[in-house]
Amino acid sequence: MVRVTPSDRRSALRAGVGLVAGGAFAAGCSPAVPSSGAAVRPATVSRSPASRPAVSQPSARTPAAPAPRAFPGQPAQITHGPRDRPRVALTFHGQGEPAIVRALLGEAERHGARVTVLAVGTWLDEHPGLARRVLDGGHDLGNHTQRHLDVNAMSEAEATAEIAGCAQRLRRLTGSVGTWFRPSRAARASPLVAALARRAGYPHVLSYDVDSLDFTSPGAPAVTRNVLDGIRNGSVVSLHFGYADTVAALPALLDELDRRGLRAVTATELIG
């Protein structure tokens, strides 16, 4: 077991833990009902166009974000990368308090790690500047549906709107629909949702083979243990923004990956 210990370089994350513990939560992707300690997604608030945050457009001097790529020989739903290279991908389901997000990205960058963020469209509506923050840090940015509902349970029209809605926001903000699609509230996409994602421009669905279970709020040591017990060459790890346990676990997790010689890279780097 890896023990989470305090250090000076983690001071930025301490503030994040306080914000999350105080109620700045984001919903996890488990289809099950969260435990009493888990985060609860606040109800969606309808806004008039005049009250929405301004959405920045990519300028001529800002290069468009990378587009989705097809990886020949890879399945339609990717759960892990090559097992013969000491690389892993830490993937974050993207919605949460901006201060927490910046702290987590900063901690990853201090370790030389790059991550993959699957953004929720309503989160991008609320915090459009975070799309560029993710990309400017060298991380992957992808699509995690518009409202973070159970997309596999939706009709074709509803699921199409969820996938396309987030894709449109990503394109407005970055010039691209993002590099990956991951279904909300599920580890894997149904055949219908996978087909709709391909229609929207995503050749592959990004799944994972290691689940941190951070959305259950099991405590930072348990999050670290859940990841390290299952991680190996090529693993794709599921994590979330907006949970205190994730914030507190990340420094020790990155330290142990370094010790094991596992390099945290984007999902695109891992698969490519």
Side-chain angles (χ1 to χ4, degrees):
M1 180 189 301
V2 176
R3 188 162 52 90
V4 179
T5 59
S7 67
D8 290 340
R9 66 182 175 75
R10 297 169 196 167
S11 59
L13 292 182
R14 291 196 191 101
V17 173
L19 282 170
V20 179
F25 293 110
C29 285
S30 170
V33 176
S35 65
S36 59
V40 178
R41 185 169 62 88
T44 302
V45 177
S46 177
R47 294 174 170 232
S48 65
S51 66
R52 288 188 181 277
V55 177
S56 58
Q57 301 286 343
S59 70
R61 292 175 295 177
T62 302
R69 287 174 53 188
F71 294 95
Q74 290 290 339
Q77 302 206 49
I78 295 175
T79 57
H80 63 82
R83 297 299 193 187
D84 59 351
R85 290 184 290 178
R87 296 180 174 186
V88 297
L90 305 180
T91 67
F92 287 85
H93 302 238
Q95 59 176 347
E97 170 62 39
I100 309 303
V101 173
R102 294 188 182 98
L104 285 166
L105 294 176
E107 183 69 12
E109 290 156 13
R110 280 188 288 277
H111 277 80
R114 297 294 176 263
V115 304
T116 299
V117 177
L118 292 313
V120 175
T122 53
W123 181 68
L124 293 173
D125 288 341
E126 294 291 334
H127 311 292
L130 289 179
R132 183 51 57 182
R133 169 62 184 90
V134 170
L135 294 172
D136 287 348
H139 311 289
D140 268 0
L141 181 64
N143 181 332
H144 197 38
T145 74
Q146 176 59 20
R147 295 177 295 161
H148 199 260
L149 303 177
D150 185 358
V151 69
N152 284 344
M154 293 180 177
S155 68
E156 180 173 349
E158 291 170 331
T160 297
E162 284 294 308
I163 298 168
C166 186
Q168 289 164 2
R169 280 152 179 80
L170 286 166
R171 188 183 294 280
R172 277 206 311 268
L173 291 168
T174 71
S176 163
V177 296
T179 47
W180 297 97
F181 169 76
R182 174 175 288 169
S184 49
R185 304 286 180 177
R188 296 179 63 83
S190 67
L192 171 62
V193 169
L196 296 176
R198 286 193 299 273
R199 187 186 302 171
Y202 305 97
H204 305 279
V205 172
L206 182 62
S207 185
Y208 47 87
D209 65 328
V210 177
D211 192 344
S212 69
L213 299 176
D214 56 352
F215 60 87
T216 66
S217 297
V223 171
T224 305
R225 183 173 60 251
N226 290 341
V227 174
L228 294 177
D229 283 354
I231 202 166
R232 58 192 178 110
N233 286 2
S235 283
V236 177
V237 182
S238 171
L239 295 152
H240 293 76
F241 286 155
Y243 287 83
D245 293 344
T246 314
V247 177
L250 189 61
L253 174 58
L254 292 170
D255 283 345
E256 181 62 14
L257 292 181
D258 288 344
R259 191 189 71 78
R260 295 186 185 185
L262 290 173
R263 183 182 171 207
V265 300
T266 66
T268 299
E269 292 175 295
L270 181 74
I271 307 303

